[in-house]
Amino acid sequence: MVSWCDAENFTMKITSIKGFADILPGEVESWQRVEAAARRVFSAYNFAEIRIPILEKTELFSRSIGESTDIVEKEMYTFEDREGRGGEGDGTKLTLRPEGTAGVVRAYVEAEMYKVEPVRKFYYMGAMFRRERPQKGRMRQFHQIGAEALGRGDPLIDAEVLLLLHDFLRAVGLAEPSLQLNSLGCAQCRPSYRKKLLAFLRQRHSELCGNCQRRIERNPLRALDCKEPGCVHATQDAPSILDSLCAVCRDHFAAVQRLLRETGVEFTLNPRMVRGLDYYCRTTFEWTTALLGSQSAVAAGGRYDGLVEQLGGPAIPGVGFALGVERLTMLLRLREAAPAQAPALFIVWLGDQARDWAFPVVHRLRRAGLSVEMEGESRSMKSQMRRADKFNAAAVLIVGADELAKGSAILRDMASKQQREISLANIESELMARKAN
Ligand code: HAM
């Protein structure tokens, strides 16, 4: 008789998709540290968590991020919903979210949150999807921690969002990412800058790469961001947007800079910084590091005053950022490995009587908040000690029939190798005292 697992199809190894990674124990601890720090710092700034769907209608992203951006043109995971009952059912195009801002704004507009109170501060954490060429620091499924402040157009909130990010990076122990700041102007002043830049680029058309040649008429600012050597050279003397800002944008940007200086946040102005998403206006920024090679942006964001209206809400301003968790944890791992999860105690039991004693004790200790582990099958002391070692247990308690009869057992500290006898009746307080030290 051939069993189902003998058939070749069932035994072939299935691998993960290119650019989609597992985050395994050993690595996941630094993710947890980052997430815990984010919750702490974001709450201090009065940002509330929001959870939005991973799948949205494609139109949400094409309308907000922009039709001519790399993300919308070529990087989205888009498919048609099936016909029939369930889902949208009408062939609507759906997309795995490539970023979080559009979804947060959609949720804000859909729930009409602004009717109760327009000023809302949100944060989110989760997976995003972009079909980019995977490389170090660039994944197809990656994770962002983002913050969005809606309802305020004042420069204080721009500075607050930047301070939040600054404090968060320090809370996780990262001081090296540096802040680059720019202003992209507004609907009043950007068109005239765009015209000026386009005229400049048309004169250098032949020096630009194919991609830029194709898109300068629609989106000339992207040429400033192009990494192709020809484009970098051709745009070296391009007019600066900072010289074209209207008085309102100039004042706003000057106030943001002053507030950052007053609160000790260092930055450099980078008038060539153009974000890869179309919804930005005024303040834009990137926190970059030289330690991650070409994928240098750890976090990025800016102001998006037209987006709420563009997505069907009233004219309500917004500003926010997102940081890449893969990039952040890579930086943290360059520094030091976060301690891996390990039990505080491993109970080595010898004989059925000791097993029957140990099982409820392990559960009592776990309920008291201690991480405790035990073997499920009868094994030699040597083999149980080996497992405790593999699990990196901080201490081992060795219990057999003699120990139960005496009411005490040997507690062995696995790091110092020191042993001492403890009373089995006081095991919980003994372990709690060890945890406190
Ligand atoms: P973004 O610059 O496209 O902005 O992405 C923000 C951050 O996400 C990047 O700085 C980077 O750390 C990370 N990231 C982006 N793509 C990848 C990738 N393929 N692999 C790994 N990490 C990646 C936004 O997404 C905006 N929604 C930010 C924002 C929020 N603006 C205002 N509010």
Side-chain angles (χ1 to χ4, degrees), residues 300-322:
R303 181 163 276 290
Y304 46 86
D305 290 348
L307 189 55
V308 176
E309 205 172 4
Q310 224 173 315
L311 294 179
I316 287 178
V319 58
F321 69 81

Side-chain angles (χ1 to χ4, degrees), residues 241-256:
I241 185 144
L242 296 179
D243 297 331
S244 294
L245 297 181
C246 63
V248 184
C249 286
R250 213 166 39 231
D251 289 351
H252 183 98
F253 196 44
V256 174

Side-chain angles (χ1 to χ4, degrees), residues 99 101 130 132 137 139 144 148 275 279-280 297-298 320-321 324:
E99 58 107 53
T101 312
R130 294 184 195 173
E132 296 187 82
M139 302 295 297
Q144 287 186 341
E148 313 292 350
R275 306 274 301 117
Y279 49 60
Y280 290 113
V298 181
F321 69 81

Side-chain angles (χ1 to χ4, degrees), residues 164-282:
L164 162 63
L165 198 41
H166 175 265
D167 286 2
F168 169 71
L169 290 172
R170 266 140 198 83
V172 293
L174 284 185
E176 61 270 358
S178 53
L179 171 60
Q180 303 204 24
L181 202 59
N182 194 18
S183 172
L184 290 180
C186 65
Q188 297 304 313
C189 53
R190 200 177 327 158
S192 66
Y193 172 69
R194 199 178 169 279
K195 220 185 266 170
K196 234 192 272 179
L197 181 64
L198 189 56
F200 174 91
L201 292 172
R202 278 187 186 139
Q203 282 169 5
R204 288 157 186 79
H205 194 264
S206 60
E207 296 171 52
L208 301 175
C209 72
N211 210 6
C212 285
Q213 285 182 347
R214 190 173 51 81
R215 68 185 173 192
I216 55 165
E217 298 295 328
R218 265 192 302 167
N219 198 344
L221 274 76
R222 297 289 307 157
L224 297 176
D225 199 34
C226 182
K227 304 288 180 290
E228 291 294 324
C231 297
V232 173
H233 184 255
T235 57
Q236 239 163 19
D237 301 320
S240 162
I241 185 144
L242 296 179
D243 297 331
S244 294
L245 297 181
C246 63
V248 184
C249 286
R250 213 166 39 231
D251 289 351
H252 183 98
F253 196 44
V256 174
Q257 294 177 62
R258 179 175 52 75
L259 291 163
L260 292 177
R261 273 190 218 102
E262 283 170 8
T263 43
V265 179
E266 285 176 24
F267 59 88
T268 36
L269 292 183
N270 180 1
R272 293 176 64 93
M273 188 180 71
V274 179
R275 306 274 301 117
L277 306 98
D278 281 354
Y279 49 60
Y280 290 113
C281 64
R282 293 202 174 146

